[in-house]
Amino acid sequence: MDIGVVLQCNPPASRVIDLARQAETHGFSHVWTFDSHLLWQEPYVIYSQILAATRRVTVGPMVTNPATRDWTVTASTFATLNDMFGNRTVCGIGRGDSAVRALGGKPTTLAALRDSIEVIRSLANGRSARVGETTVQFPWAEHSKLEVWVAAYGPKALELTGQVADGFILQLADPDIAAWTIGRVRAAAEQAGRAPDSISICVAAPAYVTDGTETGLEHARDQCRWFGGMVGNHVADIVARYGGGGGGVPQALTDYIAARTGYDYNEHGRAGNSHAEFVPNEVIDRFCLLGTPADHVAKLKELEALGVDQFSVYLQHDAKAATLEAYGESIIPQIRTSVTATS
């Protein structure tokens, strides 16, 4: 299993680049960032600097969207970075959340998401693409290679992921929900004539390493409670469409948002924000990785057994450097040893 990290592009950008460099030093494989240009600084500019400052990590957004960025410009950006730094990018994409809603918009349709995936992937892999009534191609991108990974929760989005995506991003680490979503993605892939195991599976969630005391665990929960609020914002759309626990959606995913009253994007992805107070400890424990290094390793192995290829650490809390170090020293080596022993 690969271990990645998810950063916010908070100023100064030099701090983001430094965290990415630390992540590579500690053995992380991917550096992802949020992509909300009103809330944080421009990620694609920062990717160029991260790639220049590192040698191995793959970079990309978790996640971009088809609404706020022109598809051909997105493809050109990835292809340019690949030409400059050697195919070290990945495109995570979804229907749109913070970047869209902060502008007063709504997530795109799944049809638009499907079309954008085809255009971005074709162009960024040196192929031609149909944009409206025009066929276009980058004459300089013949060596560029880009995978497109889709973030999804609901049944229809999971189905689309299985049909067309190179990878699936699940933004929570509950093993039961992971098993359900992975199953839906793989079933859709098989029905579409694709090899189910050809789709990379990435689970992303906050991780906070503690000393094993109850006080340490409570602090970790408070630092990661924001994540339940963020996920709840996505889940609210699913509940609106399918009902709580309806349409085959697990109640473990939908029930907890009953006490949700709203969402403030000015506090999006921020520890201690006010709109996550409704999230109970039980949900934080299920959705995140908290506890001692041994606790993290145990949950990572459980996810790995479900077919998860990458776990990415949301690093939006007060222990950024300490978490990177703890993973590099105590957790990543054990995950790699487990893989070697069983391969």
Side-chain angles (χ1 to χ4, degrees):
M1 176 190 285
D2 287 334
I3 304 293
V5 64
V6 186
L7 306 174
Q8 282 178 344
C9 296
N10 289 310
S14 59
R15 171 64 168 154
V16 183
I17 296 160
D18 184 56
L19 287 169
R21 191 165 53 236
Q22 291 180 51
E24 180 177 76
T25 298
H26 287 303
F28 286 73
S29 62
H30 290 67
V31 175
W32 305 85
T33 73
F34 287 54
D35 179 10
S36 294
H37 59 287
L38 291 181
L39 301 179
W40 305 290
Q41 292 184 330
E42 173 58 37
Y44 293 95
V45 175
I46 295 174
Y47 295 159
S48 182
Q49 294 298 305
I50 291 174
L51 289 166
T54 58
R55 293 181 297 168
R56 298 181 305 277
V57 293
T58 297
V59 306
M62 189 179 284
V63 294
T64 193
N65 70 86
T68 59
R69 297 185 183 276
D70 181 275
W71 307 346
T72 62
V73 175
T74 296
S76 179
T77 302
F78 281 114
T80 301
L81 290 172
N82 285 340
D83 183 65
M84 293 173 67
F85 300 104
N87 291 328
R88 290 168 55 199
T89 65
V90 60
C91 178
I93 194 168
R95 293 173 57 216
D97 181 42
S98 58
V100 178
R101 296 186 197 267
L103 287 166
K106 296 181 179 180
T108 65
T109 64
L110 288 175
L113 177 59
R114 181 189 295 269
D115 290 345
S116 73
I117 292 167
E118 179 59 31
V119 169
I120 293 168
R121 183 166 52 199
S122 293
L123 291 177
N125 281 281
R127 302 189 298 268
S128 64
R130 189 77 172 170
V131 180
E133 299 301 317
T134 305
T135 299
V136 295
Q137 186 172 6
F138 301 144
W140 46 269
E142 64 271 19
H143 300 300
S144 176
K145 304 294 180 185
L146 179 75
E147 290 191 350
V148 179
W149 295 16
V150 175
Y153 292 106
K156 293 296 185 181
L158 294 169
E159 182 180 10
L160 179 147
T161 302
Q163 292 169 347
V164 303
D166 298 302
F168 163 50
I169 298 170
L170 174 64
Q171 291 162 305
L172 57 83
D174 181 294
D176 292 336
I177 296 173
W180 176 75
T181 56
I182 292 169
R184 297 291 293 245
V185 168
R186 287 178 169 168
E190 188 170 17
Q191 291 170 4
R194 305 179 69 198
D197 291 341
S198 67
I199 301 171
S200 298
I201 307 295
C202 175
V203 164
Y208 201 109
V209 180
T210 73
D211 57 6
T213 65
E214 187 61 28
T215 299
L217 182 59
E218 284 301 319
H219 179 75
R221 286 170 175 158
D222 288 342
Q223 286 292 305
C224 298
R225 199 174 305 276
W226 67 268
F227 184 69
M230 186 190 82
V231 173
N233 202 48
H234 295 288
V235 171
D237 289 339
I238 297 173
V239 171
R241 177 179 292 271
Y242 298 101
V249 180
Q251 288 184 272
L253 178 60
T254 60
D255 278 1
Y256 85 98
I257 70 164
R260 177 180 179 271
T261 58
Y263 197 82
D264 182 358
Y265 277 98
N266 290 315
E267 297 184 300
H268 186 62
R270 183 184 303 170
N273 63 45
S274 59
H275 56 254
E277 294 175 353
F278 73 94
V279 182
N281 288 345
E282 179 265 339
V283 166
I284 302 169
D285 293 346
R286 288 195 291 112
F287 284 13
C288 305
L289 269 67
L290 311 176
T292 65
D295 294 326
H296 287 245
V297 170
K299 192 162 186 178
L300 288 170
K301 288 182 177 179
E302 187 176 4
L303 293 169
E304 187 177 39
L306 296 174
V308 175
D309 301 296
Q310 179 186 153
F311 174 72
S312 276
V313 177
Y314 273 100
L315 208 62
Q316 287 67 55
H317 51 56
D318 64 359
K320 294 178 177 63
T323 301
L324 294 176
E325 182 176 2
Y327 262 72
E329 294 295 326
S330 303
I331 297 171
I332 291 176
Q334 292 193 60
I335 296 301
R336 287 180 174 166
T337 300
S338 173
V339 171
T340 301
T342 57
S343 60

